[in-house]
Amino acid sequence: MADETPAPAPEQQAAPQMKVLAQFIRDLSFENIAAQKGMQGNAEPDINVQVGLDAKKRPVENQYDVTIKLNIEAKSKADDAKIFVLELDYNGIFHIENVPDNQLHPFLLIECPRMLFPFVRRIVSDITRDGGYPPLNLETIDFVALYRSEITRRAQAEAAQATVS
């Protein structure tokens, strides 16, 4: 009789885990330029939204700060006059486990912002409505495309720096 001991099972990696420990407005500014200047009428706005992301390791093991930074500027299409400027830094504190080191950076800058975005959207909508304008409902942000474009931009900047040196 041959000894048929089963081959050891390959070690399975535990599934990634993410918990939102806290989320909050770190910084908020809404400048209602049209109201300050006493501008009349309902100018059709041209809205420019800029999105930035930041992630940092916290002193506590497996905890990270992730920030969505929005800069929204509305200008009149008629005369290019500023209507309002909204700046928002929205922060989440995340506990993350079982994410391989080589996947942590994209995880922090794609998955974590996806969790925060609905709250950011609501804040922007409320602030613009409370400022006397129709609520601004942000389109869903493609954080994968945003991440890829930032990686490409960094690579090009490093290449340019290497050729200058």
Side-chain angles (χ1 to χ4, degrees):
M1 275 174 99
D3 185 20
E4 293 188 28
T5 55
E11 205 174 297
Q12 289 187 346
Q13 184 173 339
Q17 294 182 348
M18 172 175 49
K19 294 178 190 164
V20 181
L21 302 177
Q23 53 186 352
F24 53 92
I25 296 171
R26 181 185 292 168
D27 191 20
L28 172 65
S29 171
F30 181 75
E31 189 175 355
N32 194 339
I33 299 165
Q36 292 174 26
K37 293 184 177 179
M39 295 166 66
Q40 297 288 322
N42 292 340
E44 186 177 346
D46 184 19
I47 297 176
N48 180 20
V49 178
Q50 295 179 347
V51 181
L53 300 172
D54 190 25
K56 295 179 185 156
K57 175 88 175 89
R58 293 176 59 86
V60 178
E61 187 177 357
N62 297 326
Q63 287 189 11
Y64 301 87
D65 279 316
V66 177
T67 306
I68 297 176
K69 300 177 180 195
L70 288 181
N71 187 329
I72 302 171
E73 186 175 85
K75 292 182 177 183
S76 169
K77 285 185 178 180
D79 60 4
D80 209 33
K82 283 187 185 179
I83 299 171
F84 68 80
V85 176
L86 189 156
E87 295 174 347
L88 171 65
D89 288 4
Y90 193 77
N91 197 74
I93 299 174
F94 292 86
H95 180 90
I96 298 172
E97 291 184 20
N98 305 324
V99 175
D101 287 343
N102 65 339
Q103 295 175 11
L104 186 59
H105 191 253
F107 191 88
L108 289 170
L109 296 177
I110 296 170
E111 296 306 321
C112 294
R114 281 184 184 160
M115 296 292 293
L116 298 175
F117 182 73
F119 301 95
V120 169
R121 175 187 275 154
R122 181 190 49 81
I123 291 166
V124 169
S125 176
D126 289 351
I127 294 294
T128 53
R129 183 198 64 229
D130 293 349
Y133 303 99
L136 176 58
N137 294 310
L138 294 175
E139 294 290 325
T140 301
I141 296 171
D142 183 350
F143 290 106
V144 173
L146 192 62
Y147 179 78
R148 287 179 179 155
S149 70
E150 178 61 16
I151 294 300
T152 301
R153 186 196 66 78
R154 286 184 184 183
Q156 290 171 345
E158 287 176 10
Q161 185 67 23
T163 56
V164 170
S165 299

